[in-house]
Amino acid sequence: MRADKRKKILLIALGGNALIRGNQTGTLAEQLENLKVPIREIARLSREYRIIITHGNGPQVGNLQLQQESCAAVPRMPLEILVAQTQGQIGYMIESTLDSELMALGIVTQKYIVSLISYVVVDENDPAFQNPTKPIGPVYSEEQAAALPYPTRRTAKGYRRVVASPRPLTIVEKREIRELIKRDFIVICCGGGGIPVIREGRSFCGVDAVIDKDLASARLAREVGVDIFVIATDVKGVALHYGQPDQQYLRTLSFEEALNYRNQGHFPEGSIWPKIEAGMQFLGDGGQAASICAIDEIEAAVFGKAGTRIIPS
Ligand code: ADP
Ligand code: MG
């Protein structure tokens, strides 16, 4: 199969929170239902674009952690293994949904799909290891949290385990992904930001951390030569005064506006800011267009009709 050289490469980052909505517990049926609309849109887009899908895993990795903690009979696995497990489970859900949607469009025989277990290299001296900030997993009371064998932090929801969130340096499987994309395979990769690894001599060693999937996606985009980057989440785009009565969604956001609004406190570190930062990095690296949009408005965002478009200033 020869890929059409003129087909642009579109990277879509699906939010883990958009696959398990706020009022849901995360059953398989719920997650498959939530995937239908975005995956149908991606299936349609695959006629015009070469496609890479990345995805988050916040709620899913949290559920796995909770499952582990409620079962003493089976040995507990470290976070790197839980991230790998979520790449498998979410990759499978995306792949099987995509298969059905491509079939419904009648283009399944022309498309190959592959889900890749992906490692992402981080720096063992990253300052994030000294200051774990990323909340994962269940919410605890203050007394429960004090008894846990790992650091916890008080968040808006209650006490939660916090882990280090180091910066992604390079995607280990970038050559494989490049080759697959050249052949017009649809590639699902970098799930949950990738399995964080450090280099030890000639091998890689997993570490107890989680990488932000939007920053990992921006790094992948640069390493693979992506043209268009869409970050799909559970809100319509980037807002000023988010959650307040005067909340206002933005159609465009320049670099300068982004930095100013961030200084004014509009964009929290752990959620919307990494998406904006990822979009800015992508454009700074030569990408053509970057948008942040709702999970059911991916097509409209690609055509510039929905979401917040980040524009170089
Ligand atoms: P994902 O799983 O897609 O990575 P996150 O929860 O990390 O989702 O980030 C998206 C969330 O960011 C939204 O659900 C929203 O609650 C929050 N958010 C905080 N500030 C803003 C803002 N200024 N504009 C839009 N969303 C915001
Ligand atoms: Mg996130």
Side-chain angles (χ1 to χ4, degrees), residues 15-17 213 233-235 237-239 242 266-268 270-272 275:
N17 286 304
K213 70 107 177 34
T233 185
D234 56 357
V235 288
V238 177
Y242 178 75
H266 288 282
F267 305 146
S271 57
I272 202 74
K275 297 182 196 306

Side-chain angles (χ1 to χ4, degrees), residues 204-282:
F204 294 112
C205 176
V207 289
D208 227 24
V210 291
I211 302 169
D212 184 89
K213 70 107 177 34
D214 297 311
L215 296 177
S217 300
R219 181 48 58 128
L220 171 70
R222 168 179 164 168
E223 295 188 324
V224 174
V226 167
D227 300 292
I228 300 171
F229 183 21
V230 173
I231 301 175
T233 185
D234 56 357
V235 288
K236 275 167 49 178
V238 177
L240 296 182
H241 307 284
Y242 178 75
Q244 309 296 318
D246 54 346
Q247 165 178 304
Q248 178 202 345
Y249 279 100
L250 302 170
R251 289 308 315 275
T252 62
L253 180 64
S254 72
F255 285 26
E256 198 186 332
E257 287 168 335
L259 296 170
N260 286 338
Y261 292 142
R262 180 202 193 194
N263 288 338
Q264 294 164 20
H266 288 282
F267 305 146
E269 291 297 324
S271 57
I272 202 74
W273 177 251
K275 297 182 196 306
I276 299 170
E277 192 185 354
M280 287 166 60
Q281 267 178 23
F282 172 72

Side-chain angles (χ1 to χ4, degrees), residues 62-63 65-66 69 135-142 144-145 148 152-161:
N63 277 357
Q65 195 202 345
L66 188 57
E69 284 172 12
I136 60 155
V139 175
Y140 302 99
S141 70
E142 193 172 353
Q144 286 172 319
L148 292 170
T152 57
R153 190 174 275 205
R154 196 170 152 188
T155 70
K157 296 178 187 168
Y159 285 84
R160 294 178 75 194
R161 177 181 182 186

Side-chain angles (χ1 to χ4, degrees), residues 97-109:
T97 309
L98 190 51
D99 228 3
S100 314
E101 295 300 335
L102 289 169
M103 196 106 72
L105 289 177
I107 54 178
V108 72
T109 52

